Amino acid sequence: MNIMDFNVKKFAADAGTFLSRAVQFTEEKLGQAEKTELDAHLENLLSKAECTKLWTEKIMKQTEVLLQPNPNARIEEFVYEKLDRKAPSRMNNPELLGQYMIDAGNEFGPGTAYGNALIKCGETQKRIGTADRELIQTSAINFLTPLRNFIEGDYKTITKERKLLQNKRLDLDAAKTRLKKAKVAEARAAIWAEEVTKSEQEVRITQSEFDRQAEITRLLLEGISSTHAHHLRCLTDFVEAQMTYYAQCYQYMLDLQKQLGSFPSTFRSNNNQSSSTPVPSVSASSVLASASASLPSVSNSVVTSGFSELKASSGSRKARVLYDYDAANSSELSLLADEVITVYSVPGMDSDWLMGERGNQKGKVPITYLELLN
């Protein structure tokens, strides 16, 4: 027998098997043929697997939406993942907002209360953006990847074996139908006994194959319980990642609140009119009117220039405190409005701070609370 003859016979056999299954399936749907039912335990396992697959897909997709709300960004990440290439790095929303705030603060002047506050807020937003990236990365590795592996790996194997089981069941029922017809024909003396024996042997073979495939499918389905246990551990990791993220964000905002809280109330609130310090209304007419009657004022650029000169030199200057300031930690010095302290620069210090001395007390003080004296 040459290869071509073998392939032709194999194709004919496969076509015959497919036709037999199609006929059996159609007759079952029409109620014209009996159907071998799976045992209740196997049916329950199949139902549990389908339920697991359904909810795993929903949880996975919604988690992706939670971590990356932008659908275009999700599509881009999906395409790069399928191409096995790394997606280009871009700023996320908190980082972008933070950069805008920092740029605005520098434009308004870091020596002004508003500009300095914008810079502080921007730095905090960028730290939140970094924490957001860490949450996405950790969640993708410890939570989303195991869920995706189940959908694209384990469940696909279960689906394949379940389809084989369905085919074996159709083969068995088709064999049973042929045996039943053979026995009816034998009773009418229409066929030889050998045909009945052949049909009985076919039923035994298909029954054996069906039982073996049912056992394989059952063993795979019983692994769903292990999948649930694994997904539970992954869920715990996801919750811990979220807890770490929100704790970081809370700490960042708490630190920012302390920094903003150190600004005088006139800069912190637009609505607090009952404050002990009156909030003057700022308008073009009032500024022009007061400018003619007031002493010559020092512009922000001059003030900033004075601090820059002090930082560049190794000397010290006297400075008047403009507003009360509560030290955030032991490295800072608390201040009282209108007191005079000595200030000087220390190498490596942040541009928004100076060292202040009052008697034997010293510590860092924010330059926005100071007015240098001649």
Side-chain angles (χ1 to χ4, degrees), residues 206-278:
T206 53
Q207 181 71 57
S208 175
E209 292 178 348
F210 171 76
D211 292 341
R212 184 172 63 86
Q213 185 59 40
E215 181 65 16
I216 293 173
T217 306
R218 182 185 64 80
L219 291 174
L220 281 173
L221 291 171
E222 287 178 346
I224 292 294
S225 297
S226 299
T227 299
H228 284 190
H230 178 53
H231 287 183
L232 174 58
R233 292 192 294 272
C234 296
L235 180 62
T236 302
D237 291 340
F238 177 57
V239 171
E240 289 180 354
Q242 283 188 304
M243 182 182 66
T244 301
Y245 168 73
Y246 289 119
Q248 285 178 324
C249 292
Y250 174 75
Q251 187 60 50
Y252 292 154
M253 298 311 295
L254 195 63
D255 294 341
L256 177 61
Q257 184 186 43
K258 289 181 180 178
Q259 295 179 50
L260 295 182
S262 64
F263 285 99
S265 59
T266 54
F267 295 118
R268 292 201 310 266
S269 173
N270 293 327
N271 301 317
N272 185 10
Q273 299 300 326
S274 60
S275 173
S276 58
T277 303

Side-chain angles (χ1 to χ4, degrees), residues 225-373:
S225 297
S226 299
T227 299
H228 284 190
H230 178 53
H231 287 183
L232 174 58
R233 292 192 294 272
C234 296
L235 180 62
T236 302
D237 291 340
F238 177 57
V239 171
E240 289 180 354
Q242 283 188 304
M243 182 182 66
T244 301
Y245 168 73
Y246 289 119
Q248 285 178 324
C249 292
Y250 174 75
Q251 187 60 50
Y252 292 154
M253 298 311 295
L254 195 63
D255 294 341
L256 177 61
Q257 184 186 43
K258 289 181 180 178
Q259 295 179 50
L260 295 182
S262 64
F263 285 99
S265 59
T266 54
F267 295 118
R268 292 201 310 266
S269 173
N270 293 327
N271 301 317
N272 185 10
Q273 299 300 326
S274 60
S275 173
S276 58
T277 303
V279 182
S281 61
V282 180
S283 64
S285 58
S286 62
V287 170
L288 290 174
S290 61
S292 58
S294 63
L295 293 174
S297 59
V298 181
S299 66
N300 285 331
S301 60
V302 175
V303 172
T304 304
S305 175
F307 284 114
S308 299
E309 292 175 359
L310 177 60
K311 283 182 172 291
S313 67
S314 58
S316 62
R317 292 274 299 273
K318 292 292 184 179
R320 185 174 67 87
V321 178
L322 300 175
Y323 325 104
D324 291 346
Y325 174 72
D326 294 326
N329 52 56
S330 59
S331 68
E332 298 178 8
L333 180 67
S334 296
L335 304 173
L336 295 175
D338 295 325
E339 69 173 326
V340 177
I341 62 173
T342 301
V343 292
Y344 56 92
S345 180
V346 175
M349 178 172 286
D350 190 286
S351 60
D352 298 329
W353 298 80
L354 288 171
M355 286 297 295
E357 282 189 1
R358 181 202 307 113
N360 59 355
Q361 296 179 332
K362 65 179 180 178
K364 294 192 302 181
V365 293
I367 63 175
T368 53
Y369 285 70
L370 304 174
E371 178 184 26
L372 292 178
L373 302 177

Side-chain angles (χ1 to χ4, degrees), residues 25-36:
F25 182 79
T26 303
E27 290 180 349
E28 287 176 1
K29 291 298 182 181
L30 296 175
Q32 298 174 358
E34 295 181 359
K35 175 182 177 181
T36 300

Side-chain angles (χ1 to χ4, degrees), residues 89-109:
S89 179
R90 293 188 177 90
M91 282 188 174
N92 55 29
N93 290 333
E95 289 173 331
L96 193 58
L97 174 61
Q99 190 59 53
Y100 286 163
M101 286 182 169
I102 292 174
D103 292 344
N106 288 324
E107 184 74 18
F108 296 144

